[in-house]
């Protein structure tokens, strides 16, 4: 048995063998076209991302909770903002380019519409010095919406806004009339809604 620290080389005919043979050079792996296809190309990292800021009305709604999507403190929000008011404030007051998109917030499906705002240039510099962040933009828009002409009583914009605003009954009728009529027609066709002339049979077995 070899002693620890015994560095004597073993003979080739030793039961445990002599020196280990040198390792063969490792062969290069064959080219796999599938692995090359899965690699991320450098050009794909330069994909143009839409860096515009998105504003949903629920972000600024003082009547909404944080769980509903409110982004600011309740004291900094306004009452029931509309997507058209948000656009007017951004275009006419802040002088920032924006556009309305027909989308709705995932937790505010009753109100459609959102605004995309171009806040910075291509080089990353803000278009407006006083509005350089998303939070500053939301705060300024929420502050200016109560001063919108459509919220000033007596103006033509306010009268048009009031006339255009649907009542709760109209909203309920709009969302339930078609489904209710379809359900009533289906029940009448199948006879599922009628209970006259039919009696429930009692279960057999123990009373």
């Amino acid at each position: 048995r070899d002693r620890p620290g015994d560095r004597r080389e073993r003979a080739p005919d030793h039961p445990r063998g002599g020196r280990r043979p040198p390792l063969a050079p490792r062969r290069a792996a064959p080219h796999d076209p599938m692995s090359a296809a899965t690699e991320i190309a450098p050009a794909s990292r330069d994909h143009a991302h839409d860096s515009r800021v998105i504003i949903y009305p629920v972000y600024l709604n003082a009547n909404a909770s944080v769980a509903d999507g409110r982004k600011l403190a309740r004291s900094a929000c306004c009452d029931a903002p509309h997507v058209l008011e948000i656009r007017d404030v951004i275009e006419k007051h802040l002088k920032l380019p924006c556009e309305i998109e027909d989308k709705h917030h995932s937790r505010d499906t009753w109100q459609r519409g959102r605004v995309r705002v171009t806040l910075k240039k291509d080089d990353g510099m803000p278009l407006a010095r006083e509005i350089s962040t998303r939070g500053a933009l939301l705060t300024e828009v929420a502050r200016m919406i109560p001063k919108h002409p459509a919220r000033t009583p007596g103006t033509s914009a306010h009268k048009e806004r009031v006339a255009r605003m649907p009542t709760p009954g109209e909203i309920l009728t709009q969302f339930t009339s078609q489904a209710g009529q379809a359900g009533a027609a289906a029940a009448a066709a199948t006879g599922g809604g009628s209970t006259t002339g039919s009696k429930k049979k009692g279960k057999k077995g123990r009373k």
Side-chain angles (χ1 to χ4, degrees):
R1 186 174 183 179
D2 297 338
R3 301 175 183 175
D6 190 0
R7 300 182 180 178
R8 291 180 299 176
E9 297 180 358
R10 300 169 181 168
D13 55 351
H14 194 274
R16 299 187 183 178
R19 285 185 176 181
R20 293 183 178 180
L23 297 176
R26 182 176 297 178
R27 297 182 180 179
H31 177 69
D32 187 4
M34 295 301 295
S35 62
T38 56
E39 293 180 357
I40 299 176
S44 64
R45 298 193 183 108
D46 300 333
H47 177 71
H49 175 68
D50 194 346
S51 59
R52 293 180 296 174
V53 178
I54 297 176
I55 301 180
Y56 287 98
V58 72
Y59 287 177
L60 316 174
N61 194 350
N63 301 323
S65 63
V66 174
D68 294 333
R70 178 169 53 85
K71 296 296 184 182
L72 299 176
R74 199 180 298 273
S75 58
C77 293
C78 57
D79 181 36
H82 194 271
V83 66
L84 297 179
E85 297 174 338
I86 297 174
R87 182 201 61 185
D88 292 344
V89 168
I90 294 173
E91 285 185 346
K92 299 178 182 179
H93 175 66
L94 301 179
K95 307 297 182 181
L96 294 175
C98 66
E99 65 175 343
I100 295 180
E101 296 179 340
D102 186 19
K103 300 287 184 178
H104 67 82
H105 194 270
S106 59
R107 304 173 202 170
D108 186 23
T109 56
W110 290 84
Q111 186 172 14
R112 297 194 65 87
R114 70 180 184 185
V115 183
R116 276 190 180 268
V117 188
T118 303
L119 194 60
K120 297 182 179 181
K121 305 177 184 178
D122 294 337
D123 57 357
M125 297 299 294
L127 293 174
R129 294 182 179 179
E130 62 277 6
I131 308 295
S132 59
T133 62
R134 176 170 172 264
L137 175 64
L138 296 178
T139 303
E140 184 64 18
V141 172
R143 186 182 70 86
M144 292 302 301
I145 284 180
K147 302 178 183 179
H148 193 273
R151 299 202 174 209
T152 304
T155 61
S156 58
H158 180 265
K159 294 179 181 179
E160 182 181 357
R161 179 174 182 266
V162 173
R164 188 176 65 241
M165 187 178 300
T167 62
E170 294 174 350
I171 295 176
L172 183 62
T173 303
Q174 177 184 359
F175 282 89
T176 59
S177 60
Q178 297 180 356
Q181 293 176 1
T190 58
S194 176
T195 58
T196 58
S198 62
K199 296 182 180 180
K200 294 183 179 180
K201 297 181 180 181
K203 295 182 179 179
K204 297 181 179 179
R206 61 180 182 181
K207 294 182 179 180

